[in-house]
Coordinates of all heavy atoms in Angstrom, one line a residue:
Q1 N -65.5 -11.5 -232.6 CA -64.5 -12.3 -233.1 C -63.7 -11.8 -234.2 O -62.7 -12.3 -234.7 CB -65.1 -13.7 -233.5 CG -65.8 -14.4 -232.5 CD -64.9 -14.8 -231.2 OE1 -63.9 -15.3 -231.4 NE2 -65.3 -14.3 -230.0
V2 N -64.1 -10.6 -234.8 CA -63.3 -10.0 -235.9 C -63.0 -8.5 -235.5 O -63.8 -7.8 -234.8 CB -64.0 -10.1 -237.2 CG1 -64.2 -11.5 -237.7 CG2 -65.4 -9.4 -237.2
G3 N -62.0 -8.0 -236.1 CA -61.7 -6.6 -236.0 C -60.1 -6.4 -235.6 O -59.4 -7.4 -235.4
P4 N -59.7 -5.1 -235.5 CA -58.3 -4.9 -235.2 C -57.7 -5.4 -233.9 O -56.6 -5.6 -233.8 CB -58.2 -3.4 -235.2 CG -59.4 -2.9 -236.0 CD -60.5 -4.0 -235.8
H5 N -58.6 -5.8 -233.0 CA -58.2 -6.3 -231.7 C -57.7 -7.8 -232.0 O -57.2 -8.4 -231.0 CB -59.3 -6.3 -230.7 CG -60.5 -7.1 -231.1 ND1 -61.4 -6.7 -232.0 CD2 -61.1 -8.2 -230.6 CE1 -62.4 -7.6 -232.1 NE2 -62.2 -8.4 -231.2
R6 N -58.0 -8.4 -233.2 CA -57.6 -9.8 -233.5 C -56.5 -9.7 -234.6 O -56.2 -10.7 -235.1 CB -58.8 -10.6 -234.0 CG -60.0 -10.6 -233.0 CD -59.6 -11.4 -231.7 NE -59.3 -12.7 -232.0 CZ -60.1 -13.8 -232.0 NH1 -61.4 -13.6 -231.6 NH2 -59.8 -15.0 -232.1
A7 N -55.9 -8.5 -234.8 CA -54.9 -8.4 -235.9 C -53.6 -9.1 -235.5 O -53.3 -9.3 -234.3 CB -54.6 -6.9 -236.1
D8 N -52.7 -9.3 -236.4 CA -51.4 -9.8 -236.2 C -50.5 -9.4 -237.3 O -51.0 -8.8 -238.3 CB -51.5 -11.4 -236.2 CG -50.3 -12.0 -235.6 OD1 -49.4 -11.3 -235.0 OD2 -50.3 -13.2 -235.5
V9 N -49.2 -9.6 -237.0 CA -48.1 -9.3 -238.1 C -47.3 -10.6 -238.3 O -46.7 -11.1 -237.3 CB -47.3 -8.1 -237.6 CG1 -46.1 -8.0 -238.6 CG2 -48.0 -6.9 -237.5
T10 N -47.2 -11.0 -239.5 CA -46.3 -12.2 -239.8 C -44.9 -11.6 -240.3 O -44.9 -10.8 -241.1 CB -46.9 -13.2 -240.8 OG1 -48.1 -13.7 -240.3 CG2 -46.0 -14.3 -241.2
V11 N -43.9 -12.1 -239.6 CA -42.6 -11.6 -240.1 C -42.0 -12.8 -240.9 O -41.9 -14.0 -240.5 CB -41.6 -11.4 -238.9 CG1 -40.3 -10.9 -239.4 CG2 -42.4 -10.3 -238.0
K12 N -41.5 -12.5 -242.1 CA -40.9 -13.5 -243.1 C -39.4 -13.3 -243.2 O -39.0 -12.1 -243.4 CB -41.6 -13.5 -244.3 CG -43.0 -14.0 -244.2 CD -43.7 -14.1 -245.6 CE -45.1 -14.8 -245.6 NZ -45.6 -15.0 -246.9
V13 N -38.7 -14.3 -243.4 CA -37.3 -14.3 -243.7 C -37.2 -15.1 -245.0 O -37.4 -16.3 -245.0 CB -36.4 -14.9 -242.6 CG1 -34.9 -14.9 -243.2 CG2 -36.4 -14.2 -241.3
G14 N -36.9 -14.3 -246.1 CA -37.0 -15.0 -247.4 C -38.5 -15.3 -247.7 O -39.4 -14.3 -247.6
T15 N -38.8 -16.4 -248.0 CA -40.2 -16.9 -248.3 C -40.8 -17.6 -247.1 O -41.9 -18.1 -247.1 CB -40.2 -17.7 -249.5 OG1 -39.5 -18.9 -249.3 CG2 -39.8 -16.9 -250.7
H16 N -40.1 -17.7 -246.0 CA -40.5 -18.5 -244.9 C -41.0 -17.7 -243.6 O -40.5 -16.6 -243.4 CB -39.4 -19.5 -244.4 CG -38.9 -20.4 -245.4 ND1 -39.5 -21.6 -245.6 CD2 -37.9 -20.3 -246.3 CE1 -38.9 -22.3 -246.6 NE2 -37.9 -21.5 -247.0
V17 N -41.9 -18.1 -242.9 CA -42.4 -17.5 -241.7 C -41.2 -17.6 -240.6 O -40.7 -18.8 -240.5 CB -43.6 -18.1 -241.1 CG1 -44.0 -17.5 -239.8 CG2 -44.8 -17.9 -242.1
A18 N -40.8 -16.5 -240.1 CA -39.5 -16.5 -239.3 C -39.5 -17.5 -238.2 O -38.6 -18.2 -238.0 CB -39.3 -15.1 -238.7
R19 N -40.6 -17.5 -237.3 CA -40.5 -18.4 -236.2 C -40.5 -19.9 -236.6 O -40.2 -20.7 -235.7 CB -41.7 -18.1 -235.3 CG -43.1 -18.3 -235.8 CD -44.1 -18.0 -234.8 NE -45.5 -18.1 -235.2 CZ -46.5 -17.8 -234.6 NH1 -46.4 -17.3 -233.4 NH2 -47.7 -18.1 -235.1
E20 N -40.8 -20.2 -237.8 CA -40.7 -21.6 -238.1 C -39.4 -22.0 -238.8 O -39.2 -23.2 -239.1 CB -41.8 -21.9 -239.2 CG -43.3 -21.6 -238.7 CD -44.3 -21.8 -239.7 OE1 -43.9 -22.0 -241.0 OE2 -45.5 -21.7 -239.4
R21 N -38.6 -21.1 -238.9 CA -37.3 -21.3 -239.7 C -36.0 -21.0 -238.9 O -35.1 -21.8 -238.9 CB -37.3 -20.5 -241.0 CG -36.0 -20.7 -241.8 CD -35.9 -19.8 -243.0 NE -34.7 -19.9 -243.7 CZ -34.3 -19.2 -244.7 NH1 -35.1 -18.3 -245.1 NH2 -33.1 -19.4 -245.3
V22 N -36.0 -19.9 -238.2 CA -34.7 -19.3 -237.7 C -34.5 -19.9 -236.3 O -35.4 -20.2 -235.5 CB -34.7 -17.8 -237.7 CG1 -34.8 -17.2 -239.2 CG2 -35.7 -17.2 -236.8
S23 N -33.1 -19.9 -235.9 CA -32.7 -20.4 -234.6 C -33.1 -19.3 -233.5 O -33.4 -18.2 -234.0 CB -31.2 -20.6 -234.6 OG -30.5 -19.4 -234.8
R24 N -32.9 -19.6 -232.3 CA -33.0 -18.7 -231.2 C -32.2 -17.4 -231.3 O -32.6 -16.3 -231.2 CB -32.8 -19.3 -229.9 CG -32.9 -18.4 -228.6 CD -34.3 -17.8 -228.5 NE -35.3 -18.8 -228.3 CZ -35.6 -19.4 -227.0 NH1 -34.9 -19.1 -226.0 NH2 -36.6 -20.3 -227.0
G25 N -30.8 -17.7 -231.7 CA -30.0 -16.5 -231.9 C -30.4 -15.6 -233.0 O -30.4 -14.4 -233.0
Q26 N -30.9 -16.2 -234.1 CA -31.3 -15.5 -235.3 C -32.7 -14.8 -235.0 O -33.0 -13.7 -235.5 CB -31.5 -16.4 -236.5 CG -30.2 -17.0 -237.1 CD -30.5 -17.9 -238.2 OE1 -31.2 -18.9 -238.0 NE2 -29.8 -17.8 -239.3
Q27 N -33.4 -15.5 -234.2 CA -34.7 -14.8 -233.7 C -34.4 -13.6 -232.9 O -35.1 -12.5 -233.1 CB -35.6 -15.8 -232.8 CG -36.4 -16.8 -233.7 CD -37.2 -17.6 -232.8 OE1 -37.2 -17.5 -231.5 NE2 -38.0 -18.4 -233.4
K28 N -33.4 -13.6 -232.2 CA -33.1 -12.3 -231.3 C -32.6 -11.2 -232.3 O -33.0 -10.1 -232.1 CB -32.0 -12.7 -230.3 CG -31.5 -11.4 -229.6 CD -30.6 -11.7 -228.4 CE -30.2 -10.5 -227.7 NZ -29.4 -10.8 -226.4
L29 N -31.8 -11.7 -233.3 CA -31.3 -10.6 -234.3 C -32.5 -10.1 -235.0 O -32.6 -8.9 -235.3 CB -30.2 -11.3 -235.2 CG -28.8 -11.4 -234.7 CD1 -28.0 -12.0 -235.7 CD2 -28.3 -10.0 -234.3
L30 N -33.4 -10.9 -235.4 CA -34.5 -10.5 -236.2 C -35.4 -9.6 -235.4 O -35.9 -8.5 -235.9 CB -35.3 -11.7 -236.7 CG -36.5 -11.4 -237.6 CD1 -36.2 -10.5 -238.8 CD2 -37.2 -12.7 -238.2
A31 N -35.6 -9.9 -234.2 CA -36.6 -9.1 -233.3 C -35.8 -7.8 -233.0 O -36.4 -6.8 -232.9 CB -36.9 -9.9 -232.0
A32 N -34.4 -7.9 -232.9 CA -33.8 -6.6 -232.7 C -33.8 -5.8 -233.8 O -33.9 -4.5 -233.8 CB -32.3 -7.0 -232.4
A33 N -33.8 -6.4 -235.1 CA -34.0 -5.5 -236.3 C -35.4 -4.9 -236.3 O -35.4 -3.7 -236.7 CB -33.8 -6.6 -237.5
L34 N -36.4 -5.5 -235.9 CA -37.7 -4.9 -235.9 C -37.6 -3.8 -234.9 O -38.2 -2.7 -235.2 CB -38.7 -6.0 -235.4 CG -39.2 -7.0 -236.4 CD1 -39.8 -8.2 -235.7 CD2 -40.2 -6.3 -237.4
T35 N -37.0 -3.9 -233.8 CA -37.0 -2.9 -232.7 C -36.2 -1.7 -233.3 O -36.6 -0.6 -233.1 CB -36.4 -3.4 -231.5 OG1 -37.2 -4.5 -231.0 CG2 -36.4 -2.3 -230.4
L36 N -35.1 -2.0 -233.9 CA -34.2 -0.9 -234.4 C -34.9 -0.1 -235.6 O -34.7 1.0 -235.8 CB -32.8 -1.5 -234.8 CG -32.0 -2.0 -233.6 CD1 -30.8 -2.6 -234.1 CD2 -31.7 -1.0 -232.5
A37 N -35.6 -0.9 -236.4 CA -36.3 -0.3 -237.5 C -37.4 0.7 -236.9 O -37.6 1.8 -237.4 CB -37.0 -1.3 -238.4
Q38 N -38.1 0.2 -235.9 CA -39.1 1.1 -235.3 C -38.4 2.3 -234.7 O -39.0 3.4 -234.8 CB -39.8 0.3 -234.2 CG -41.0 1.0 -233.6 CD -41.9 0.1 -232.8 OE1 -41.6 -0.1 -231.6 NE2 -42.9 -0.4 -233.4
L39 N -37.3 2.1 -234.0 CA -36.6 3.3 -233.3 C -36.2 4.2 -234.4 O -36.2 5.5 -234.2 CB -35.4 2.7 -232.5 CG -34.6 3.7 -231.7 CD1 -35.5 4.4 -230.7 CD2 -33.5 3.1 -231.1
T40 N -35.7 3.8 -235.6 CA -35.3 4.6 -236.7 C -36.5 5.5 -237.2 O -36.3 6.7 -237.4 CB -34.7 3.7 -237.8 OG1 -33.6 3.0 -237.3 CG2 -34.3 4.7 -238.9
I41 N -37.6 4.9 -237.4 CA -38.8 5.6 -237.9 C -39.2 6.6 -236.8 O -39.5 7.8 -237.1 CB -39.9 4.6 -238.2 CG1 -39.5 3.7 -239.3 CG2 -41.2 5.4 -238.5 CD1 -39.3 4.4 -240.6
Q42 N -39.2 6.1 -235.6 CA -39.5 7.1 -234.5 C -38.6 8.2 -234.4 O -39.1 9.4 -234.1 CB -39.5 6.2 -233.1 CG -39.9 7.0 -231.9 CD -39.8 6.0 -230.7 OE1 -40.4 5.0 -230.7 NE2 -39.0 6.4 -229.7
E43 N -37.3 8.0 -234.5 CA -36.4 9.1 -234.4 C -36.5 10.0 -235.6 O -36.3 11.3 -235.6 CB -34.9 8.6 -234.3 CG -33.9 9.6 -234.2 CD -33.9 10.4 -232.9 OE1 -34.6 10.1 -232.0 OE2 -33.2 11.5 -233.0
T44 N -36.9 9.6 -236.8 CA -37.0 10.3 -238.0 C -38.3 11.3 -237.9 O -38.2 12.4 -238.2 CB -37.2 9.5 -239.2 OG1 -36.1 8.6 -239.4 CG2 -37.4 10.3 -240.5
S45 N -39.2 10.8 -237.1 CA -40.5 11.5 -237.0 C -40.3 12.6 -235.8 O -40.9 13.6 -235.9 CB -41.6 10.6 -236.7 OG -41.8 9.7 -237.8

């Protein structure tokens, strides 16, 4: 019941958990930001 296979990542906008605050359109932009950040790091490496 414990270990990295139970890990998670919480995304916050300001001081709030994102999925509890932002609209669907904002969620898409935020998830896109996560993807583009990952792509940026990937391309840098």
Side-chain angles (χ1 to χ4, degrees):
Q1 302 298 304
V2 294
H5 64 289
R6 304 296 295 269
D8 198 2
V9 176
T10 297
V11 183
K12 291 187 174 183
V13 176
T15 59
H16 300 274
V17 176
R19 63 182 178 184
E20 297 174 357
R21 178 185 177 189
V22 300
S23 67
R24 176 62 62 82
Q26 289 174 314
Q27 283 185 354
K28 179 171 181 176
L29 280 179
L30 182 53
L34 283 161
T35 304
L36 296 176
Q38 186 169 84
L39 185 60
T40 300
I41 297 299
Q42 181 177 305
E43 180 64 16
T44 300
S45 301

